[in-house]
Amino acid sequence: MSEIGIIANPHAKFNKRNPDRQKLLGYILGEHGRIEVTATLEELGQVARDFRKKGIRILAMNGGDGTISRTLTAVIREYGANPLPKIA
């Protein structure tokens, strides 16, 4: 089971200015988690589903305000009545 799941938005301004950020986050995570880059809302929904199935314990988001609100919406929709992971 992955402990940590990070969802990154490649369209976020900070990520566009720092395109290697996802590689660095993946390196830092190592075997403790995984980072997923989602370019569309459909990909975001699929990643939320995968993270729920894998039982991640901590969810982190890499992007701006829009990324955070869209990610939380997708995760809440996917988890339903199940407990959410801790949010970072």
Side-chain angles (χ1 to χ4, degrees):
M1 164 177 29
S2 295
E3 292 283 324
I4 303 167
I6 299 176
I7 295 178
N9 177 358
H11 305 298
K13 191 183 309 183
F14 188 79
N15 288 334
K16 284 183 178 180
R17 283 188 255 156
N18 301 285
D20 291 331
R21 186 174 178 82
Q22 286 80 20
K23 290 179 189 173
L24 176 61
L25 289 171
Y27 176 77
I28 292 168
L29 278 173
E31 295 178 12
H32 300 286
R34 59 187 253 211
I35 183 168
E36 294 290 341
V37 178
T38 59
T40 67
L41 292 175
E42 292 78 20
E43 290 176 359
L44 178 57
Q46 182 60 50
V47 170
R49 197 167 10 270
D50 292 346
F51 280 1
R52 180 185 54 79
K53 288 178 183 176
K54 293 190 182 309
I56 65 155
R57 294 177 39 183
I58 300 169
L59 171 66
M61 292 159 277
N62 172 252
D65 293 345
T67 301
I68 293 168
S69 65
R70 286 184 177 102
T71 300
L72 288 175
T73 298
V75 168
I76 290 167
R77 184 177 299 129
E78 181 58 39
Y79 278 69
N82 297 311
L84 296 175
K86 293 180 181 177
I87 306 294

